[in-house]
Amino acid sequence: MIRMSNIYKSFKDKTVLDGINLEVNEGEIFALLGPSGAGKTTIINILTKWIEADSGEAEISVGQNEIGIMLDSGGLYTHLNCLENLDLYARIYDLPKTRPMEILESVGLGGDDAKKAASELSRGMFQRLALARAILYSPKVLILDEPTSALDPGTARSVCKLLQKIRENGTTIFLTTHNMDEALKLCDRVALLFEGKIVKQGNPVEICEEHNALRTVPDLEAVFLEMTGVEL
């Protein structure tokens, strides 16, 4: 569903991506983990065609209108309230009038919160609104940049449950995260990214068991530290 083959990218004299190879299968949740500056956002920007790679091939095997994207910028209008933001996109995609409120309720922004202007939202609420916009039209592929980074633990768990439900309905999900517990519980496969290179990829629990067999509880963060010497 998603493929990157021998992707290289530099900015000025700095190599940001150094031979990235990955594949995301249809219907799975795949996470990219790594410290700040590892190249995670650059990978997303190449996949979403915001920037071009210097060399290599990157493709998503569905049309652009079948991809839901949640980036840090959100793609939202701050002068509109939550419901108005989603109503705008619902009209563009000719969705049922009830769809925006259904989605807002699913991410915890129903009731009075739906009437709040985007400019007045907390960072966590803004994050949820951005996710709501990304899943509004049931995309076949969902690309999420740190979808739970500003959320409290309870809301983050709710979002993860929502993502699992979306996957069960056939959506392929590619995300970045710093949350180790989230990656272990949510993802079918992960890739560990360090200094522009993928140092390991596979099932997160199997990776933990392979590199950290003496621990009774798999710890993906410890594996990353063991492999790179860097704490996430």
Side-chain angles (χ1 to χ4, degrees):
M1 186 63 74
I2 298 173
R3 185 177 67 88
M4 302 189 85
S5 178
N6 292 319
I7 293 292
Y8 290 83
K9 182 64 181 179
S10 297
F11 294 105
K12 296 184 178 180
D13 295 329
K14 179 177 176 57
T15 298
V16 178
L17 299 178
D18 189 3
I20 297 297
N21 292 281
L22 61 82
E23 291 187 358
V24 181
N25 300 317
E26 183 175 358
E28 75 175 348
I29 301 178
F30 185 100
L32 196 61
L33 295 101
S36 298
K40 300 188 302 296
T41 300
T42 302
I43 285 176
I44 284 184
N45 286 340
I46 290 173
L47 283 173
T48 55
K49 301 188 182 303
W50 283 96
I51 61 175
E52 291 186 2
D54 296 335
S55 62
E57 297 181 356
E59 64 177 355
I60 302 177
S61 59
V62 298
Q64 285 295 111
N65 62 345
E66 296 177 304
I67 302 172
I69 303 171
M70 176 186 161
L71 303 178
D72 191 46
S73 57
L76 300 168
Y77 296 92
T78 56
H79 63 286
L80 300 179
N81 67 33
C82 297
L83 184 57
E84 289 168 341
N85 263 284
L86 294 202
D87 276 340
L88 176 63
Y89 287 100
R91 290 197 297 271
I92 292 173
Y93 293 104
D94 195 27
L95 299 175
K97 292 182 180 180
T98 57
R99 179 67 174 170
M101 185 56 78
E102 290 173 359
I103 294 299
L104 287 174
E105 289 174 349
S106 75
V107 299
L109 289 176
D112 291 339
D113 287 337
K115 301 176 183 178
K116 291 182 179 179
S119 60
E120 298 175 353
L121 300 177
S122 67
R123 177 167 170 76
M125 294 174 73
F126 194 89
Q127 193 92 335
R128 281 183 273 163
L129 181 58
L131 176 60
R133 188 200 64 79
I135 65 176
L136 180 65
Y137 56 96
S138 301
K140 291 184 178 180
V141 173
L142 190 56
I143 297 178
L144 309 171
D145 194 6
E146 302 280 359
T148 61
S149 63
L151 305 182
D152 62 82
T155 303
R157 285 192 295 271
S158 297
V159 168
C160 287
K161 289 180 180 179
L162 175 61
L163 293 179
Q164 289 173 326
K165 184 177 180 180
I166 292 169
R167 188 269 294 276
E168 290 170 1
N169 291 331
T171 298
T172 302
I173 301 175
F174 180 97
L175 61 90
T176 64
T177 181
H178 280 98
N179 189 316
M180 302 302 109
D181 185 58
E182 179 178 283
L184 284 163
K185 293 180 179 178
L186 180 64
C187 300
D188 300 292
R189 290 190 303 125
V190 300
L192 308 184
L193 188 69
F194 180 63
E195 294 184 347
K197 295 182 179 181
I198 292 177
V199 296
K200 191 75 175 180
Q201 60 180 308
N203 177 277
V205 175
E206 291 177 358
I207 290 175
C208 289
E209 290 175 346
E210 177 185 349
H211 290 272
N212 217 13
L214 296 179
R215 290 177 179 265
T216 56
V217 179
D219 186 344
L220 196 56
E221 188 165 12
V223 172
F224 195 97
L225 177 61
E226 175 189 324
M227 296 181 69
T228 67
V230 174
E231 292 186 0
L232 289 177

